[in-house]
Amino acid sequence: MLTRTALLMCAVLAILSVGVWHYANTSADYSYDRLLSSASVSMLDGISVSGEQINIDLPYSAFEILQLAPDDKVFYGIYGPKGRLLSGYNDLPVSNDDIVSATQQPYYSLRHYRQQKVRFIVRSKRLSERSVAGDVTIVLGQTTQARDSQMRDTLYTALTTLMAVMAIALLVMWIAINRALAPLNWLSDQLQPDSAMQDNSLPDTRILEVAPLTHAINNYRHQWLDALGSMRDFIADASHQIRTAQATTKAQLEIALSAKANTIDKASVEAIYQDHTKLTRLTNQLLAHATVLHRGDRKAFFAIDLNQMLKEVITHAVRDYAHTDVEFEYLGPEHPLSMYGDEIVLKEALRNIIDNAVIHGQSDQPDHLNLIRISIKQGDHSYEICIEDSGFGIPEHARAQALERFAKVGPNQHGSGLGLAIAHSAALTHEGQLTLGTSSLGGLQVSLRLPNQSESVTHYVEQDHV
Amino acid sequence: MSNYCLMLLIVMSIFAKVAHADTLTIYSATDRSAIAPLLEEFAALYPETNIDYVEFNTQELYDELVMPAQPTPDVVISSAPDLQVKLVNDGYALSLDNLPDMSPEQPWAQWSDELFGFSYEPIVFVYNKQAFAQHDVPTTHEALAEQLRDRPDFYNGRIGTYDAANSGLGYLVATQDEVTFSLTGRLQESLGRAQADIHCCTSILLNKLSQGELVFGYNLLGSYAMARALKDNNIDVIVPEDYALVVIRSAFVHQATDNPIVATNFIRYLRSPAGQKTIAAHSALLPLDRSLEPHSDVRQQLTKPTNFHPIRLGPELLLYLDKRKREYFLNRWQQVMKHATP
């Protein structure tokens, strides 16, 4: 940052230097041209006409004026009306044109004369006496030592000042940058010794500008830690569940192996099969849950047809539960219901809700009809999918708990406690809602409300085009 | 074989060097006798240098440089500052950056790193002691003007000065008098009325003063006059008390010199403490360094707080060299001095 600024300043300095050089040149020329001008005026003053003759009595003052540039050489020539040299140097580098052009106003030029740079002024004076009529011209030249040295003085002084100003500006900027970034340094000093896992809040700062940042960092950290905490809990729960199921299976196997009889008891195999089914289901659900959570983070939504999707899910369920006496009923429209969403996540959620309904919707009463009714309603901006069963339902006070992981409520404790949690996560992913209620069939009613995102998306697109 | 050739070459080059001992050619408008002590001391300091000293009068020297008939000199010395300034102005001098100014109080003693003064020679009055045995000697310009008016018979035909028309120094001093002193016109008229005796050279005037042919010499070069008074009991020197013009004898290195180093060394020597001491103690010249007491200034008039008026080495000296200005001035001068006897 500072290096770039320094480079920029160097560029500015270079540009300004050209300007200063020009200024120094102009001002030196200006002051020493005035010397030349006044000396030439003074010299012309000494030219007069007496009788038929031009009298030249150059005044001492003219040379005293020129002596203000003490080390410079002086050359002059005085020319009469017809360009005739009256006095002075006869080899000055001045042409007749120069002399003619000086009749209107003094004419300055820089010439080389006797191996030196010489600044010349050409100035004329009209003699209007009857005997001598015409212009007398004086050509006065002075070498440029004093002029050049003044130019250099001005240039160096201005450049020195310029550089000093630039240096001060750089210094001030350096200090300002350091001061402005000091809070960040303080912040990094505070953060460095901390472990990201520590639940330390940053200390309050007196620097007003940084307070929002520390708050934001603290906030972020807490959210992160919360997320980590729930992850840790989930892993602990999951491993506990899996280990328990495995331990049970293993125990059943050991019992079966330790039996004296050579043939395996069918009941033992049945028990092992039950435990293994439970373990498989648990594992599948854990993986499904992980998938739902992971995909929920990514939010890769595409257009889907809810009607079609529901039919597929129900078709699967019907096939899966063909061996049971559960009956399915679907109340949906004939036309497609499109929305934006993640098909895999939604399918997983619905499957779990239906599985849940199958497991918990069974009743011991012999004449009980195990019906699962799936319906979909289209609201203004949302769809509501209801899955109802005819089981015991969940008492109202336990419903909130039922949505948590590994929570098992109700009389049937066979489930993994993950099904509704998966559905809940899927609803949240789609910015929807999962509510539990009492079904008209007598059991639990799970309603999954999904906002119709296709509408809002098109709405945004339209707005973009306006 | 090639080794022998190389040896031979080296030996030859050494011989060539010895044979080509530096020769310093000086063209000078200064009496050889007056400057001799300086030349001798320089020769002692730089034994490998031969000095070729050629004497001119000031105008001849100027003409020789502008239209050379002889080989180019290395150093040019003259007591005519106006002609020296003109030569330097016209590019005959070499710029010597490495030669420091004499002293900050004497900025008029050099010009443009090219022309360097080394002596300080006041313009003085000289009188015949015997003639003024019973009279007061005028010690100021005004007193002289008064005496010329009050005692016309005493001074008539017996006061001498330079011929401005024929002597470069006389012309310079007359013009500078005009620039410096407002009553110069009156004094010139008085000199004209007194039928002043005008001459080209200091020596003739001094001879006539010593012999009593002239009683008073106006505007003579102080260095020669003092040197003469040291040996000649008939005359004495007065440094005018109201103001005394000072002529700076100056030197420059010719731009076409073959020996710039030796030539620069010579000018540096002239201005060095050693050179200045030699000028004060042994030569007929007077040193630029005012702290030294010249041996010829018997009455210590040079160290008195007189109003010395050094003629600055600078471009203003070009003015009176202007052809038309010179004609104009000499016209008036001759009008005033028409009774004078050249």
Side-chain angles (χ1 to χ4, degrees), chain B residues 39-78:
Chain B
L39 301 180
E40 283 159 20
E41 192 179 41
F42 184 74
L45 287 171
Y46 296 88
E48 73 281 11
T49 305
N50 297 321
I51 299 176
D52 185 6
Y53 187 85
V54 187
E55 201 178 320
F56 295 84
N57 82 29
T58 53
Q59 191 61 45
E60 284 168 8
L61 177 59
Y62 177 80
D63 294 341
E64 164 62 31
L65 285 168
V66 175
M67 281 187 286
Q70 298 180 47
T72 317
D74 299 311
V75 173
V76 178
I77 298 175
S78 172

mmCIF file of all heavy atoms in Angstrom, chain B residues 39-78:
data_model
loop_
_atom_site.group_PDB
_atom_site.id
_atom_site.type_symbol
_atom_site.label_atom_id
_atom_site.label_comp_id
_atom_site.label_asym_id
_atom_site.label_seq_id
_atom_site.Cartn_x
_atom_site.Cartn_y
_atom_site.Cartn_z
ATOM 1 N N LEU B 39 58.896 36.153 -10.837
ATOM 2 C CA LEU B 39 59.278 35.140 -11.825
ATOM 3 C C LEU B 39 60.341 34.219 -11.245
ATOM 4 O O LEU B 39 60.289 32.998 -11.426
ATOM 5 C CB LEU B 39 59.796 35.809 -13.100
ATOM 6 C CG LEU B 39 58.807 36.752 -13.809
ATOM 7 C CD1 LEU B 39 59.449 37.353 -15.057
ATOM 8 C CD2 LEU B 39 57.526 36.016 -14.176
ATOM 9 N N GLU B 40 61.274 34.824 -10.522
ATOM 10 C CA GLU B 40 62.358 34.004 -9.944
ATOM 11 C C GLU B 40 61.810 33.027 -8.917
ATOM 12 O O GLU B 40 62.180 31.850 -8.892
ATOM 13 C CB GLU B 40 63.407 34.919 -9.285
ATOM 14 C CG GLU B 40 64.315 35.590 -10.314
ATOM 15 C CD GLU B 40 64.973 36.847 -9.755
ATOM 16 O OE1 GLU B 40 65.040 36.998 -8.508
ATOM 17 O OE2 GLU B 40 65.412 37.678 -10.571
ATOM 18 N N GLU B 41 60.927 33.511 -8.084
ATOM 19 C CA GLU B 41 60.404 32.617 -7.057
ATOM 20 C C GLU B 41 59.574 31.493 -7.670
ATOM 21 O O GLU B 41 59.666 30.335 -7.259
ATOM 22 C CB GLU B 41 59.555 33.381 -6.041
ATOM 23 C CG GLU B 41 59.272 32.507 -4.827
ATOM 24 C CD GLU B 41 58.446 33.208 -3.753
ATOM 25 O OE1 GLU B 41 57.488 33.922 -4.099
ATOM 26 O OE2 GLU B 41 58.773 33.022 -2.579
ATOM 27 N N PHE B 42 58.808 31.838 -8.698
ATOM 28 C CA PHE B 42 58.007 30.805 -9.354
ATOM 29 C C PHE B 42 58.916 29.757 -9.993
ATOM 30 O O PHE B 42 58.660 28.554 -9.898
ATOM 31 C CB PHE B 42 57.086 31.426 -10.413
ATOM 32 C CG PHE B 42 56.172 30.426 -11.059
ATOM 33 C CD1 PHE B 42 55.069 29.916 -10.377
ATOM 34 C CD2 PHE B 42 56.416 29.959 -12.338
ATOM 35 C CE1 PHE B 42 54.234 28.982 -10.959
ATOM 36 C CE2 PHE B 42 55.588 29.015 -12.931
ATOM 37 C CZ PHE B 42 54.482 28.528 -12.234
ATOM 38 N N ALA B 43 59.989 30.237 -10.612
ATOM 39 C CA ALA B 43 60.948 29.315 -11.242
ATOM 40 C C ALA B 43 61.564 28.393 -10.189
ATOM 41 O O ALA B 43 61.833 27.215 -10.453
ATOM 42 C CB ALA B 43 62.032 30.106 -11.965
ATOM 43 N N ALA B 44 61.781 28.929 -8.979
ATOM 44 C CA ALA B 44 62.345 28.102 -7.913
ATOM 45 C C ALA B 44 61.329 27.062 -7.443
ATOM 46 O O ALA B 44 61.681 25.929 -7.116
ATOM 47 C CB ALA B 44 62.776 28.997 -6.747
ATOM 48 N N LEU B 45 60.063 27.446 -7.409
ATOM 49 C CA LEU B 45 59.018 26.522 -6.963
ATOM 50 C C LEU B 45 58.762 25.426 -7.993
ATOM 51 O O LEU B 45 58.460 24.298 -7.648
ATOM 52 C CB LEU B 45 57.712 27.285 -6.708
ATOM 53 C CG LEU B 45 57.667 28.158 -5.454
ATOM 54 C CD1 LEU B 45 56.401 29.023 -5.442
ATOM 55 C CD2 LEU B 45 57.697 27.284 -4.197
ATOM 56 N N TYR B 46 58.862 25.781 -9.272
ATOM 57 C CA TYR B 46 58.613 24.813 -10.344
ATOM 58 C C TYR B 46 59.848 24.742 -11.239
ATOM 59 O O TYR B 46 59.846 25.310 -12.335
ATOM 60 C CB TYR B 46 57.375 25.213 -11.163
ATOM 61 C CG TYR B 46 56.099 25.194 -10.358
ATOM 62 C CD1 TYR B 46 55.683 26.321 -9.652
ATOM 63 C CD2 TYR B 46 55.313 24.047 -10.295
ATOM 64 C CE1 TYR B 46 54.516 26.297 -8.902
ATOM 65 C CE2 TYR B 46 54.139 24.020 -9.552
ATOM 66 C CZ TYR B 46 53.748 25.140 -8.849
ATOM 67 O OH TYR B 46 52.593 25.127 -8.105
ATOM 68 N N PRO B 47 60.893 24.073 -10.775
ATOM 69 C CA PRO B 47 62.175 24.119 -11.500
ATOM 70 C C PRO B 47 62.080 23.528 -12.909
ATOM 71 O O PRO B 47 62.890 23.861 -13.769
ATOM 72 C CB PRO B 47 63.111 23.301 -10.612
ATOM 73 C CG PRO B 47 62.250 22.583 -9.651
ATOM 74 C CD PRO B 47 60.957 23.283 -9.559
ATOM 75 N N GLU B 48 61.086 22.668 -13.150
ATOM 76 C CA GLU B 48 61.017 22.052 -14.479
ATOM 77 C C GLU B 48 60.373 22.984 -15.508
ATOM 78 O O GLU B 48 60.260 22.638 -16.667
ATOM 79 C CB GLU B 48 60.244 20.712 -14.405
ATOM 80 C CG GLU B 48 58.767 20.822 -14.228
ATOM 81 C CD GLU B 48 58.337 21.106 -12.778
ATOM 82 O OE1 GLU B 48 59.230 21.422 -11.923
ATOM 83 O OE2 GLU B 48 57.145 21.035 -12.505
ATOM 84 N N THR B 49 59.948 24.165 -15.048
ATOM 85 C CA THR B 49 59.267 25.086 -15.955
ATOM 86 C C THR B 49 60.208 26.216 -16.390
ATOM 87 O O THR B 49 60.853 26.849 -15.553
ATOM 88 C CB THR B 49 58.041 25.697 -15.251
ATOM 89 O OG1 THR B 49 57.229 24.631 -14.774
ATOM 90 C CG2 THR B 49 57.241 26.578 -16.188
ATOM 91 N N ASN B 50 60.253 26.420 -17.695
ATOM 92 C CA ASN B 50 60.994 27.579 -18.215
ATOM 93 C C ASN B 50 60.015 28.714 -18.422
ATOM 94 O O ASN B 50 58.926 28.500 -18.930
ATOM 95 C CB ASN B 50 61.633 27.253 -19.566
ATOM 96 C CG ASN B 50 62.649 26.146 -19.430
ATOM 97 O OD1 ASN B 50 63.395 26.095 -18.453
ATOM 98 N ND2 ASN B 50 62.647 25.242 -20.405
ATOM 99 N N ILE B 51 60.429 29.915 -18.057
ATOM 100 C CA ILE B 51 59.539 31.051 -18.250
ATOM 101 C C ILE B 51 60.057 31.895 -19.406
ATOM 102 O O ILE B 51 61.228 32.265 -19.448
ATOM 103 C CB ILE B 51 59.452 31.907 -16.972
ATOM 104 C CG1 ILE B 51 58.885 31.040 -15.829
ATOM 105 C CG2 ILE B 51 58.576 33.130 -17.207
ATOM 106 C CD1 ILE B 51 58.847 31.749 -14.508
ATOM 107 N N ASP B 52 59.133 32.137 -20.341
ATOM 108 C CA ASP B 52 59.469 33.004 -21.465
ATOM 109 C C ASP B 52 58.652 34.276 -21.285
ATOM 110 O O ASP B 52 57.436 34.285 -21.497
ATOM 111 C CB ASP B 52 59.099 32.265 -22.761
ATOM 112 C CG ASP B 52 59.519 33.050 -23.992
ATOM 113 O OD1 ASP B 52 60.188 34.099 -23.814
ATOM 114 O OD2 ASP B 52 59.159 32.632 -25.104
ATOM 115 N N TYR B 53 59.300 35.345 -20.847
ATOM 116 C CA TYR B 53 58.587 36.569 -20.493
ATOM 117 C C TYR B 53 58.769 37.607 -21.594
ATOM 118 O O TYR B 53 59.889 37.991 -21.916
ATOM 119 C CB TYR B 53 59.128 37.098 -19.162
ATOM 120 C CG TYR B 53 58.362 38.268 -18.599
ATOM 121 C CD1 TYR B 53 57.211 38.071 -17.831
ATOM 122 C CD2 TYR B 53 58.784 39.568 -18.822
ATOM 123 C CE1 TYR B 53 56.511 39.142 -17.313
ATOM 124 C CE2 TYR B 53 58.082 40.650 -18.300
ATOM 125 C CZ TYR B 53 56.943 40.431 -17.544
ATOM 126 O OH TYR B 53 56.251 41.490 -17.026
ATOM 127 N N VAL B 54 57.652 38.022 -22.207
ATOM 128 C CA VAL B 54 57.737 39.004 -23.290
ATOM 129 C C VAL B 54 57.011 40.263 -22.853
ATOM 130 O O VAL B 54 55.871 40.195 -22.395
ATOM 131 C CB VAL B 54 57.102 38.456 -24.585
ATOM 132 C CG1 VAL B 54 57.340 39.398 -25.747
ATOM 133 C CG2 VAL B 54 57.636 37.062 -24.891
ATOM 134 N N GLU B 55 57.697 41.404 -22.984
ATOM 135 C CA GLU B 55 57.133 42.649 -22.462
ATOM 136 C C GLU B 55 56.482 43.458 -23.586
ATOM 137 O O GLU B 55 57.016 43.540 -24.697
ATOM 138 C CB GLU B 55 58.261 43.452 -21.799
ATOM 139 C CG GLU B 55 57.775 44.468 -20.811
ATOM 140 C CD GLU B 55 58.949 45.206 -20.159
ATOM 141 O OE1 GLU B 55 59.963 44.558 -19.856
ATOM 142 O OE2 GLU B 55 58.835 46.427 -19.983
ATOM 143 N N PHE B 56 55.333 44.020 -23.296
ATOM 144 C CA PHE B 56 54.609 44.884 -24.241
ATOM 145 C C PHE B 56 54.135 46.106 -23.474
ATOM 146 O O PHE B 56 54.121 46.093 -22.245
ATOM 147 C CB PHE B 56 53.353 44.172 -24.765
ATOM 148 C CG PHE B 56 53.606 42.949 -25.602
ATOM 149 C CD1 PHE B 56 53.823 41.706 -25.004
ATOM 150 C CD2 PHE B 56 53.606 43.033 -26.979
ATOM 151 C CE1 PHE B 56 54.037 40.580 -25.772
ATOM 152 C CE2 PHE B 56 53.816 41.895 -27.750
ATOM 153 C CZ PHE B 56 54.037 40.672 -27.149
ATOM 154 N N ASN B 57 53.706 47.172 -24.228
ATOM 155 C CA ASN B 57 52.876 48.135 -23.499
ATOM 156 C C ASN B 57 51.431 47.685 -23.666
ATOM 157 O O ASN B 57 51.135 46.796 -24.463
ATOM 158 C CB ASN B 57 53.162 49.590 -23.899
ATOM 159 C CG ASN B 57 52.454 50.023 -25.165
ATOM 160 O OD1 ASN B 57 51.384 49.522 -25.492
ATOM 161 N ND2 ASN B 57 53.066 50.939 -25.901
ATOM 162 N N THR B 58 50.524 48.293 -22.908
ATOM 163 C CA THR B 58 49.177 47.709 -22.795
ATOM 164 C C THR B 58 48.467 47.619 -24.144
ATOM 165 O O THR B 58 47.850 46.596 -24.458
ATOM 166 C CB THR B 58 48.314 48.531 -21.810
ATOM 167 O OG1 THR B 58 48.341 49.893 -22.215
ATOM 168 C CG2 THR B 58 48.838 48.419 -20.400
ATOM 169 N N GLN B 59 48.544 48.675 -24.944
ATOM 170 C CA GLN B 59 47.830 48.682 -26.223
ATOM 171 C C GLN B 59 48.450 47.676 -27.195
ATOM 172 O O GLN B 59 47.735 46.935 -27.875
ATOM 173 C CB GLN B 59 47.847 50.097 -26.831
ATOM 174 C CG GLN B 59 46.909 50.274 -28.015
ATOM 175 C CD GLN B 59 45.446 50.028 -27.639
ATOM 176 O OE1 GLN B 59 44.978 50.516 -26.601
ATOM 177 N NE2 GLN B 59 44.734 49.245 -28.444
ATOM 178 N N GLU B 60 49.794 47.624 -27.222
ATOM 179 C CA GLU B 60 50.481 46.653 -28.083
ATOM 180 C C GLU B 60 50.066 45.230 -27.714
ATOM 181 O O GLU B 60 49.849 44.387 -28.580
ATOM 182 C CB GLU B 60 51.998 46.765 -27.915
ATOM 183 C CG GLU B 60 52.618 47.951 -28.604
ATOM 184 C CD GLU B 60 54.071 48.162 -28.142
ATOM 185 O OE1 GLU B 60 54.595 47.283 -27.406
ATOM 186 O OE2 GLU B 60 54.638 49.191 -28.498
ATOM 187 N N LEU B 61 50.003 45.008 -26.421
ATOM 188 C CA LEU B 61 49.630 43.679 -25.942
ATOM 189 C C LEU B 61 48.237 43.309 -26.445
ATOM 190 O O LEU B 61 48.016 42.214 -26.951
ATOM 191 C CB LEU B 61 49.661 43.655 -24.405
ATOM 192 C CG LEU B 61 49.231 42.354 -23.744
ATOM 193 C CD1 LEU B 61 50.097 41.200 -24.176
ATOM 194 C CD2 LEU B 61 49.282 42.490 -22.225
ATOM 195 N N TYR B 62 47.314 44.273 -26.346
ATOM 196 C CA TYR B 62 45.940 44.026 -26.809
ATOM 197 C C TYR B 62 45.947 43.712 -28.301
ATOM 198 O O TYR B 62 45.331 42.731 -28.749
ATOM 199 C CB TYR B 62 45.063 45.245 -26.506
ATOM 200 C CG TYR B 62 43.650 45.099 -27.017
ATOM 201 C CD1 TYR B 62 42.714 44.367 -26.313
ATOM 202 C CD2 TYR B 62 43.275 45.685 -28.226
ATOM 203 C CE1 TYR B 62 41.431 44.206 -26.794
ATOM 204 C CE2 TYR B 62 41.989 45.531 -28.717
ATOM 205 C CZ TYR B 62 41.063 44.792 -27.998
ATOM 206 O OH TYR B 62 39.785 44.637 -28.482
ATOM 207 N N ASP B 63 46.668 44.531 -29.058
ATOM 208 C CA ASP B 63 46.694 44.342 -30.516
ATOM 209 C C ASP B 63 47.299 42.993 -30.883
ATOM 210 O O ASP B 63 46.819 42.310 -31.783
ATOM 211 C CB ASP B 63 47.473 45.477 -31.183
ATOM 212 C CG ASP B 63 46.768 46.814 -31.018
ATOM 213 O OD1 ASP B 63 45.548 46.790 -30.725
ATOM 214 O OD2 ASP B 63 47.420 47.865 -31.145
ATOM 215 N N GLU B 64 48.360 42.620 -30.170
ATOM 216 C CA GLU B 64 49.035 41.355 -30.454
ATOM 217 C C GLU B 64 48.075 40.171 -30.253
ATOM 218 O O GLU B 64 48.068 39.226 -31.023
ATOM 219 C CB GLU B 64 50.268 41.215 -29.547
ATOM 220 C CG GLU B 64 50.847 39.810 -29.443
ATOM 221 C CD GLU B 64 51.343 39.264 -30.792
ATOM 222 O OE1 GLU B 64 51.787 40.066 -31.635
ATOM 223 O OE2 GLU B 64 51.272 38.024 -30.977
ATOM 224 N N LEU B 65 47.254 40.273 -29.200
ATOM 225 C CA LEU B 65 46.348 39.163 -28.922
ATOM 226 C C LEU B 65 45.203 39.102 -29.927
ATOM 227 O O LEU B 65 44.775 38.024 -30.327
ATOM 228 C CB LEU B 65 45.798 39.271 -27.495
ATOM 229 C CG LEU B 65 46.818 38.890 -26.433
ATOM 230 C CD1 LEU B 65 46.336 39.280 -25.061
ATOM 231 C CD2 LEU B 65 47.106 37.399 -26.482
ATOM 232 N N VAL B 66 44.725 40.279 -30.329
ATOM 233 C CA VAL B 66 43.597 40.288 -31.258
ATOM 234 C C VAL B 66 44.061 39.912 -32.660
ATOM 235 O O VAL B 66 43.380 39.167 -33.371
ATOM 236 C CB VAL B 66 42.924 41.680 -31.249
ATOM 237 C CG1 VAL B 66 41.827 41.746 -32.302
ATOM 238 C CG2 VAL B 66 42.345 41.965 -29.870
ATOM 239 N N MET B 67 45.239 40.422 -33.045
ATOM 240 C CA MET B 67 45.794 40.034 -34.347
ATOM 241 C C MET B 67 47.195 39.481 -34.140
ATOM 242 O O MET B 67 48.179 40.210 -34.245
ATOM 243 C CB MET B 67 45.800 41.245 -35.283
ATOM 244 C CG MET B 67 44.417 41.489 -35.858
ATOM 245 S SD MET B 67 44.395 42.763 -37.097
ATOM 246 C CE MET B 67 44.579 44.228 -36.118
ATOM 247 N N PRO B 68 47.274 38.204 -33.820
ATOM 248 C CA PRO B 68 48.550 37.653 -33.376
ATOM 249 C C PRO B 68 49.617 37.634 -34.494
ATOM 250 O O PRO B 68 49.327 37.257 -35.628
ATOM 251 C CB PRO B 68 48.206 36.229 -32.946
ATOM 252 C CG PRO B 68 46.801 35.996 -33.296
ATOM 253 C CD PRO B 68 46.221 37.218 -33.892
ATOM 254 N N ALA B 69 50.801 38.063 -34.086
ATOM 255 C CA ALA B 69 51.943 37.968 -34.984
ATOM 256 C C ALA B 69 52.933 36.951 -34.433
ATOM 257 O O ALA B 69 53.752 36.411 -35.158
ATOM 258 C CB ALA B 69 52.608 39.333 -35.109
ATOM 259 N N GLN B 70 52.835 36.696 -33.154
ATOM 260 C CA GLN B 70 53.745 35.759 -32.485
ATOM 261 C C GLN B 70 52.931 34.569 -31.948
ATOM 262 O O GLN B 70 51.708 34.615 -31.949
ATOM 263 C CB GLN B 70 54.454 36.495 -31.335
ATOM 264 C CG GLN B 70 55.301 37.655 -31.818
ATOM 265 C CD GLN B 70 55.988 38.367 -30.669
ATOM 266 O OE1 GLN B 70 56.564 37.717 -29.812
ATOM 267 N NE2 GLN B 70 55.914 39.684 -30.663
ATOM 268 N N PRO B 71 53.627 33.533 -31.469
ATOM 269 C CA PRO B 71 52.900 32.376 -30.939
ATOM 270 C C PRO B 71 51.975 32.775 -29.772
ATOM 271 O O PRO B 71 52.234 33.773 -29.098
ATOM 272 C CB PRO B 71 54.011 31.442 -30.442
ATOM 273 C CG PRO B 71 55.259 31.948 -31.016
ATOM 274 C CD PRO B 71 55.086 33.354 -31.441
ATOM 275 N N THR B 72 50.962 31.951 -29.564
ATOM 276 C CA THR B 72 49.996 32.236 -28.502
ATOM 277 C C THR B 72 50.672 32.143 -27.133
ATOM 278 O O THR B 72 51.401 31.179 -26.875
ATOM 279 C CB THR B 72 48.868 31.190 -28.543
ATOM 280 O OG1 THR B 72 48.506 30.990 -29.893
ATOM 281 C CG2 THR B 72 47.675 31.646 -27.750
ATOM 282 N N PRO B 73 50.429 33.096 -26.263
ATOM 283 C CA PRO B 73 51.010 33.007 -24.915
ATOM 284 C C PRO B 73 50.171 32.089 -24.030
ATOM 285 O O PRO B 73 49.057 31.720 -24.393
ATOM 286 C CB PRO B 73 50.929 34.437 -24.416
ATOM 287 C CG PRO B 73 49.727 34.978 -25.103
ATOM 288 C CD PRO B 73 49.671 34.324 -26.459
ATOM 289 N N ASP B 74 50.727 31.724 -22.846
ATOM 290 C CA ASP B 74 49.959 30.945 -21.873
ATOM 291 C C ASP B 74 49.242 31.863 -20.904
ATOM 292 O O ASP B 74 48.101 31.625 -20.536
ATOM 293 C CB ASP B 74 50.890 30.001 -21.107
ATOM 294 C CG ASP B 74 51.562 29.018 -22.042
ATOM 295 O OD1 ASP B 74 50.846 28.414 -22.857
ATOM 296 O OD2 ASP B 74 52.797 28.889 -21.989
ATOM 297 N N VAL B 75 49.984 32.913 -20.488
ATOM 298 C CA VAL B 75 49.406 33.824 -19.498
ATOM 299 C C VAL B 75 49.542 35.248 -20.040
ATOM 300 O O VAL B 75 50.550 35.588 -20.661
ATOM 301 C CB VAL B 75 50.143 33.708 -18.142
ATOM 302 C CG1 VAL B 75 49.646 34.776 -17.169
ATOM 303 C CG2 VAL B 75 49.924 32.329 -17.544
ATOM 304 N N VAL B 76 48.506 36.058 -19.798
ATOM 305 C CA VAL B 76 48.536 37.455 -20.226
ATOM 306 C C VAL B 76 48.376 38.329 -18.990
ATOM 307 O O VAL B 76 47.435 38.147 -18.211
ATOM 308 C CB VAL B 76 47.404 37.735 -21.232
ATOM 309 C CG1 VAL B 76 47.421 39.201 -21.643
ATOM 310 C CG2 VAL B 76 47.511 36.821 -22.438
ATOM 311 N N ILE B 77 49.330 39.250 -18.803
ATOM 312 C CA ILE B 77 49.287 40.137 -17.635
ATOM 313 C C ILE B 77 49.253 41.575 -18.139
ATOM 314 O O ILE B 77 49.982 41.929 -19.068
ATOM 315 C CB ILE B 77 50.537 39.952 -16.745
ATOM 316 C CG1 ILE B 77 50.582 38.515 -16.210
ATOM 317 C CG2 ILE B 77 50.537 40.941 -15.592
ATOM 318 C CD1 ILE B 77 51.846 38.207 -15.431
ATOM 319 N N SER B 78 48.401 42.390 -17.533
ATOM 320 C CA SER B 78 48.385 43.794 -17.934
ATOM 321 C C SER B 78 47.908 44.663 -16.789
ATOM 322 O O SER B 78 47.139 44.222 -15.931
ATOM 323 C CB SER B 78 47.475 43.982 -19.151
ATOM 324 O OG SER B 78 47.320 45.345 -19.429
#
